[in-house]
Amino acid sequence: MKKLTDTVTLRHGAELSNRIAMAPMQSHSGRRGGFVSDDTLRYYSARSQAAGLLLTEFHYVSENGGPAYVPGYPEQLGAYSDAHLEGLTKLAAALKKDGNKAILQIHHGGREARGRAVSGEDVVAPSGIDFSFLKYPIRELTLDEIDEIIADFGRATKRAIQAGFDGVEIHGANHYLLQQFFSAFSNVREDKWGGSLEKRMAFPLAVVKEVKRVIAEAGPADFIVGYRLSPEEIHEPNVGYTYEEATQLVSEIVKNELDYIHLSLYGGYASSPQGTDKTFTELFKEVLDDDTKLLAVGGVLSEESARDAIEKSADIVVVGRGTLIDPQFAKKVVEGRGHEIFHELTAENIDYVQWTAGLKEAFSREDSLGLPPLPGGDSIRHLHTGRYDMFR
């Protein structure tokens, strides 16, 4: 039987000290241009023992790929130039200082790069659709721009290697560019990058191949590579793709010998698509080979729920809000102190959580800035100053 405290060996030889991963969550701490701040480093340094596999928040790989953030708040972090290398190196060191593995999540926001709209710059996507839920126009990417973005994912991977990260995670979930290309709702192109299911797979697969090429050339043998995706895109009446289509994409991705697939499950780790009794984790596990681990995130706030997630098909459980509330989540589990994990916020433990100023402002708002509310969130409402709320 799998245990949370098991040592896990990934496909290419990297060893994880346990079956817990820290979810990639925006820290609202970047400086203008996507640069790491002291606040960023304090936040991640405090979470160096949150999990055996430590995933950073999303870093945009192209200048036209971000920032995807709430205007007024500190910016999204970037990895789109060599100027970011110094900050990335400090970030990797902060995460790795206690021996756990640090993964840089690489990303392009596509239509969600609202920071470009605020600055009067083009916001790009697979197709120039007038989305009713956006307040700014979208321009369709040219063929040359698509090729350049693919290369940018490779360049960001090389920076991750140079900075000392143990791996990269390709962000293909949450309605960002890779998902936009895969979605029939967002991608209505009629060239090699859109149309049939096979053509809608082409861009994410090209990114995977480029990342793998760079790792083969410049990375250590045990360098980790994963892919995160949303298992379906169904927002009635619009259907971007079904879980059946997503499993076909994953079947193609795993042919490139990744270390893991990471499911972003908004409904929780035990959620299921309509029309089947099987969970998403069970359905996607069926299309993985024996060497590709399955990571699942959603609704884990305690040792008990983390253990349950492992028992329900996931090889590694990804903890988001649990590590926001307790930055020593995995340390306590490994040391047999899971009963000491904080499960909710209080005015007394707000200093212990070691949040950035941006996170404290976000979660002390009544609406949590659109993020899922945290248990005990009402106890910190009085801490909200509104310093970043000029556009809200």
Side-chain angles (χ1 to χ4, degrees), residues 151-206:
D152 284 341
F153 273 93
R155 295 178 187 119
T157 299
K158 186 170 183 180
R159 292 183 192 109
I161 294 167
Q162 293 171 324
F165 280 95
D166 299 296
V168 294
E169 178 175 280
I170 302 166
H171 194 350
N174 306 119
H175 300 285
Y176 295 120
L177 186 66
L178 274 73
Q179 180 170 330
Q180 291 164 30
F181 267 98
F182 186 52
S183 166
F185 172 65
S186 301
N187 182 357
V188 295
R189 299 179 72 99
E190 297 179 348
D191 56 15
K192 67 178 182 177
W193 300 111
S196 66
L197 176 60
E198 181 180 10
K199 289 182 177 180
R200 287 189 283 115
M201 291 183 186
F203 180 77
L205 290 174

Side-chain angles (χ1 to χ4, degrees), residues 362-374 381:
F363 281 112
S364 60
R365 284 173 55 102
E366 290 287 345
D367 64 356
S368 299
L369 207 63
L371 299 166
L374 293 174
R381 296 283 181 261

Side-chain angles (χ1 to χ4, degrees), residues 112-377:
E112 300 299 323
R114 58 179 58 88
R116 292 182 60 80
V118 170
S119 300
E121 298 171 291
D122 282 354
V123 180
V124 294
S127 301
I129 297 171
D130 182 13
F131 293 103
S132 61
F133 50 84
L134 296 180
K135 297 180 179 179
Y136 47 85
I138 302 299
R139 177 175 65 76
E140 181 172 299
L141 284 161
T142 67
L143 294 175
D144 286 345
E145 286 174 327
I146 292 171
D147 289 341
E148 191 66 15
I149 290 170
I150 293 167
D152 284 341
F153 273 93
R155 295 178 187 119
T157 299
K158 186 170 183 180
R159 292 183 192 109
I161 294 167
Q162 293 171 324
F165 280 95
D166 299 296
V168 294
E169 178 175 280
I170 302 166
H171 194 350
N174 306 119
H175 300 285
Y176 295 120
L177 186 66
L178 274 73
Q179 180 170 330
Q180 291 164 30
F181 267 98
F182 186 52
S183 166
F185 172 65
S186 301
N187 182 357
V188 295
R189 299 179 72 99
E190 297 179 348
D191 56 15
K192 67 178 182 177
W193 300 111
S196 66
L197 176 60
E198 181 180 10
K199 289 182 177 180
R200 287 189 283 115
M201 291 183 186
F203 180 77
L205 290 174
V207 168
V208 169
K209 291 178 189 300
E210 175 64 8
V211 167
K212 287 285 294 183
R213 184 191 68 78
V214 170
I215 293 170
E217 286 186 359
D222 63 352
F223 195 77
I224 301 164
V225 58
Y227 190 100
R228 176 176 164 119
L229 82 157
S230 300
E232 62 181 9
E233 182 187 303
I234 300 176
H235 305 289
E236 297 294 351
N238 302 311
V239 178
Y241 58 87
T242 64
Y243 79 86
E244 293 99 336
E245 291 173 314
T247 56
Q248 290 181 65
L249 172 62
V250 169
S251 294
E252 294 301 315
I253 289 173
V254 298
K255 292 177 182 178
N256 294 277
E257 298 187 342
L258 273 64
D259 290 276
Y260 68 81
I261 295 293
H262 178 185
L263 293 184
S264 178
L265 298 170
Y266 186 79
Y269 63 85
S271 58
S272 302
Q274 291 187 352
T276 176
D277 293 331
K278 292 185 177 181
T279 64
F280 284 114
T281 55
E282 290 170 328
L283 291 163
F284 280 80
K285 189 72 170 173
E286 291 174 357
V287 300
L288 301 185
D289 60 30
D290 292 340
D291 294 321
T292 307
K293 304 301 183 186
L294 182 65
L295 278 61
V297 66
V300 176
L301 290 162
S302 66
E303 180 180 15
E304 292 74 23
S305 55
R307 187 184 304 115
D308 188 55
I310 290 297
E311 293 172 356
K312 287 184 167 61
S313 298
D315 296 301
I316 296 168
V317 58
V318 185
V319 184
R321 290 180 295 166
T323 58
L324 276 175
I325 296 172
D326 198 323
Q328 294 193 339
F329 190 99
K331 177 180 171 62
K332 290 181 177 180
V333 170
V334 169
E335 294 179 351
R337 298 187 294 119
H339 60 284
E340 296 180 12
I341 292 172
F342 287 106
H343 300 141
E344 63 179 28
L345 292 170
T346 66
E348 289 72 34
N349 69 11
I350 191 64
D351 290 333
Y352 168 78
V353 300
Q354 291 286 304
W355 282 354
T356 64
L359 278 175
K360 189 178 291 186
E361 285 296 301
F363 281 112
S364 60
R365 284 173 55 102
E366 290 287 345
D367 64 356
S368 299
L369 207 63
L371 299 166
L374 293 174

Side-chain angles (χ1 to χ4, degrees), residues 1-44:
M1 178 180 291
K2 292 180 291 186
K3 296 186 295 184
L4 291 172
T5 54
D6 290 339
T7 298
V8 180
T9 302
L10 300 180
R11 179 194 294 272
H12 297 103
E15 284 198 352
L16 310 182
S17 59
N18 54 68
R19 292 186 182 273
I20 301 171
M22 182 177 75
M25 296 172 290
Q26 190 166 12
S27 65
H28 296 290
S29 67
R31 296 187 288 117
R32 183 67 58 85
F35 290 92
V36 165
S37 68
D38 290 342
D39 219 10
T40 309
L41 297 175
R42 280 192 295 268
Y43 170 80
Y44 280 108

